[in-house]
Structures are given as C-alpha cells and as structure tokens.
Amino acid sequence: MSKVVFPKGYSSLLGAKETEHAIVMVKNFFQSQLSTALNLTRVTAPLFVESGKGLNDDLNGIERAVTFPVKDMNDAKMEIVHSLAKWKRVKVSELNLAPGFGIYTDMNAIRADEELDNIHSLYVDQWDWCECIDPKNRTVAYLKETVKKIYACLKHLEFYIYDRYEAIKPVLPEEITFVYADDLQREYPDKTPKERENIIAKKYGAVFLIGIGGKLPDGTIHDGRAPDYDDWISVNEEGHTGLNGDLLVWNPVLESSYELSSMGIRVSPESLKKQLEERGCPERAEFEFHRRLLRGELSYTMGGGIGQSRLCMFFLRKAHIGEIQVSMWPAEMKADCAKHGIHLL
C-alpha cells in the first residue's frame, strides 16, 4: 500500500499482551498529569450531536459526518462527532468556570472520509480539553506557557515508560522549540508544508508550529483549520498571524514529523466574523452556536485535542496506529502490514 510506510527491519518492542497493559498505563498516567498541570476537571462527553446546530467540528469543511435519524425524535438527524472543539466551549460556559480552570474528556469519533495510513484511522480517540481564560490572556505568550506545561507532561510520561520498559529509550529534547509557520515558509519556500515539518521536527526533536490556517506570505495556508474554533487570523503581540498551532515531534520509528496535538486560543466574536468571511461561509453565523458566540454568551477559552492512540503509538514505538486501537482496514493493508511484522489489532 503506497500510503503505508513500512520501517525496515521493524519489530515491536512489546508483545501483544504487554502492549495492552502499556496502553492502559500510558492513558491513565498522562491524563492524570494533564488534568493536574492545566487545572482540568473530567466531564462526560457526547458521541453525537444534533445536525444543523453548528456544534460539530467541520474540520476542513468537506468531510462528511456519519449521520442517523432518531425514531423517537421525529427522525431528527444526529451526527457522530468529528471532535468536540465547539461543544467544549459551550460546556465550559455552562459550568461558569473561572479563568484558569477547565475541563477534559475522552472524545471518540468516526471520520469516514479519513485517508487510512500509519497514523490515520476511521476511529479517532483523543483527550479534548478546554480552559476558560481571561480576555487579556488571548496572547501568544499565554499559548506558549500552556504548551510548555503540556510538553512537561509528555516528558514525565517518557520517563514513566522508560522506567518500566528499558528497551524504550527516551528521545524527546529537554525543551520544546517554537516556530512560526510564516517564518518556516519564508525559509523553505520550495518545500511543501509536510516537508517543512519534517525538516524542523528532525532538527529540534519537538516543535510547536504556530499559525495554522491563516495565510502565509505566499498566499497559501500551512494546513486547513475550521473558521469557528481556533483563532488563526488575529495578529499576535509578536507580529505574526495566529494564536494556534500544532505540537510536533520527530518519530524515530517512522522517521518523520509526527503530530501529537492541535490546540489554540479560541475565536472571539470579532475574529469569528473575520474567519467566516475569509473562508467564504458567513452563513454559518446563523447557527445556534455561532449566534451565541457573537452575542457574547460564551466564555473566552483556549483548548485542543491530544490523540490517545497517537500518544500510545509514539511512546510505545509502534509503526502503525492499528497496533494500538481496533479499527477497520483494507484487506490489502492488513496483509501487507503482516508481511512487514506489523500486527494490527
């Protein structure tokens, strides 16, 4: 399969039963670290939301949500969530949380249009988190401070795993490096966004790439972002566009850049208007979620998602996300993986 990378001589460092135990260890340890570091309370989350409310994550605006009618609600249509990017903001607002406190939850989604490869699956599981912030903290400095806290959790997890499995050697640098997407485009104008990510991830080991979704100097964007959660259009205090970003590490198994998290400061009423116009979808302002935000009824927040299977895959040195989670794969992919020592669950 051309979309799957088969590392030469790959062999899992952990057996099947040991892997299952390690997955539980990774998830339990990391969520405890994260909730403590960011003052997050765990909440229960929906698997589906009602269509037409503007509450589901539209991703790049072209991915189809899995839908179904509900018999006892006059066949009202529900959508399996893509993520909980907007739902979390509503929840934080309803809980009336003070700035500096937030929520996290286990998000389970189905993304039927996902292109399947080593790190992409139909089934998405992540920790979705959201923090209430003071409007004065809608700054890149506050974003960086939060990223450093999350990275410290990753470093603690790395030692926790190494302390139990000596074959899994630590690889993360002591500190994370911050890079702007527009600076990266200027430095490597002849490279694709993915090639640029590979260059900086290999160079630094761990990078937070700031400014995902806004226009770069050449008029392109580094990667797609929906217009109604991350603020990617505001000019920050460092003179760059964007208050969001991706946390990337260098994956030694796949020998490529590897995204563990996407996060950012969420849109204000003003930046929401601008971003809806920029993406050519001002009609979304009529959805219930957007109307509430524009009326100032929702708290100012920042938040993001951290892939659970992605995290386990990286820290347990697996070559395919199917070694961590149970999903569906093309028959040819399963056969090719088996030939290369990759045993899908």
Side-chain angles (χ1 to χ4, degrees):
M1 298 288 291
S2 60
K3 291 183 289 187
V4 177
V5 173
F6 299 110
K8 187 176 181 180
Y10 172 76
S11 177
S12 176
L13 297 176
L14 303 179
K17 189 174 180 179
E18 206 171 23
T19 295
E20 296 284 9
H21 291 164
I23 290 171
V24 176
M25 289 170 50
V26 168
K27 292 185 177 183
N28 288 344
F29 181 86
F30 183 78
Q31 68 181 356
S32 175
Q33 292 282 307
L34 181 71
S35 63
T36 301
L38 300 187
N39 299 325
L40 305 176
T41 298
R42 191 189 183 283
V43 299
T44 303
L47 177 61
F48 47 85
V49 294
E50 189 172 356
S51 298
K53 301 293 185 180
L55 203 56
N56 203 355
D57 181 357
D58 295 297
L59 301 175
N60 291 306
I62 59 174
E63 293 88 350
R64 301 168 298 170
V66 177
T67 63
F68 62 94
V70 180
K71 181 180 178 182
D72 272 5
M73 294 177 65
N74 296 318
D75 281 343
K77 190 168 73 171
M78 302 295 159
E79 297 178 355
I80 303 293
V81 296
H82 279 145
S83 85
L84 298 172
K86 289 176 279 187
W87 179 88
K88 293 177 297 184
R89 187 166 187 174
V90 173
K91 187 68 174 181
V92 164
S93 302
E94 291 176 345
L95 291 172
N96 197 29
L97 297 181
F101 296 88
I103 61 173
Y104 80 97
T105 191
D106 290 300
M107 190 284 297
N108 296 289
I110 298 174
R111 296 183 182 176
D113 289 344
E114 200 72 82
E115 293 188 8
L116 307 181
D117 55 25
N118 295 72
I119 62 175
H120 294 98
S121 168
L122 298 175
Y123 169 60
V124 179
D125 58 338
Q126 64 184 30
W127 290 286
D128 254 326
W129 65 272
C130 185
E131 175 194 338
C132 180
I133 64 172
D134 192 299
K136 69 181 182 182
N137 284 331
R138 297 189 75 256
T139 65
V140 75
Y142 194 77
L143 175 65
K144 289 180 177 179
E145 181 183 328
T146 304
V147 170
K148 289 177 181 177
K149 291 178 182 178
I150 294 174
Y151 188 69
C153 295
L154 296 175
K155 288 286 293 179
H156 295 160
L157 173 60
E158 184 174 54
F159 172 74
Y160 179 76
I161 294 300
Y162 176 58
D163 193 40
R164 286 149 182 79
Y165 303 105
E166 289 187 2
I168 303 178
K169 308 294 183 184
V171 295
L172 293 177
E174 285 303 308
E175 297 182 351
I176 190 167
T177 299
F178 294 93
V179 177
Y180 279 103
D182 55 359
D183 284 342
L184 197 61
Q185 191 275 324
R186 291 188 189 96
E187 187 173 0
Y188 303 102
D190 58 333
K191 303 294 185 182
T192 67
K194 182 59 181 177
E195 288 171 340
R196 293 173 204 149
E197 290 183 2
N198 284 336
I199 291 171
I200 57 166
K202 187 173 184 178
K203 179 178 181 180
Y204 296 112
V207 176
F208 189 75
L209 185 60
I210 306 173
I212 308 295
K215 285 186 178 178
L216 300 176
D218 65 351
T220 65
I221 61 174
H222 183 83
D223 198 3
R225 281 295 183 276
D228 40 20
Y229 49 94
D230 279 354
D231 187 331
W232 41 256
I233 204 167
S234 295
V235 177
N236 60 52
E237 70 270 24
E238 295 184 355
H240 296 266
T241 300
L243 291 169
N244 72 334
D246 289 343
L247 198 162
L248 311 171
V249 296
W250 180 253
N251 188 314
V253 176
L254 299 179
E255 297 188 317
S256 68
S257 170
Y258 188 80
E259 179 187 324
L260 287 177
S261 176
S262 174
M263 58 175 284
I265 291 173
R266 301 319 203 190
V267 288
S268 64
E270 296 74 24
S271 58
L272 173 62
K273 291 178 184 177
K274 293 178 182 178
Q275 292 185 179
L276 291 178
E277 292 288 342
E278 178 76 17
R279 286 290 184 266
C281 53
E283 70 280 359
R284 287 196 195 178
E286 298 303 315
F287 288 137
E288 181 180 334
F289 170 84
H290 301 71
R291 289 202 308 269
R292 292 186 64 185
L293 200 159
L294 292 169
R295 289 196 299 260
E297 296 176 4
L298 301 181
S299 301
Y300 285 91
T301 61
M302 71 180 302
I306 302 171
Q308 295 187 15
S309 292
R310 286 272 186 103
L311 203 71
C312 293
M313 181 181 163
F314 176 78
F315 283 101
L316 301 182
R317 304 293 185 260
K318 300 292 187 176
H320 196 288
I321 199 166
E323 295 176 273
I324 297 297
Q325 58 162 245
V326 177
S327 186
M328 299 297 293
W329 310 99
E332 185 180 354
M333 181 185 292
K334 291 194 289 186
D336 285 348
C337 283
K339 291 177 185 176
H340 291 85
I342 298 173
H343 302 289
L344 307 182
L345 298 180

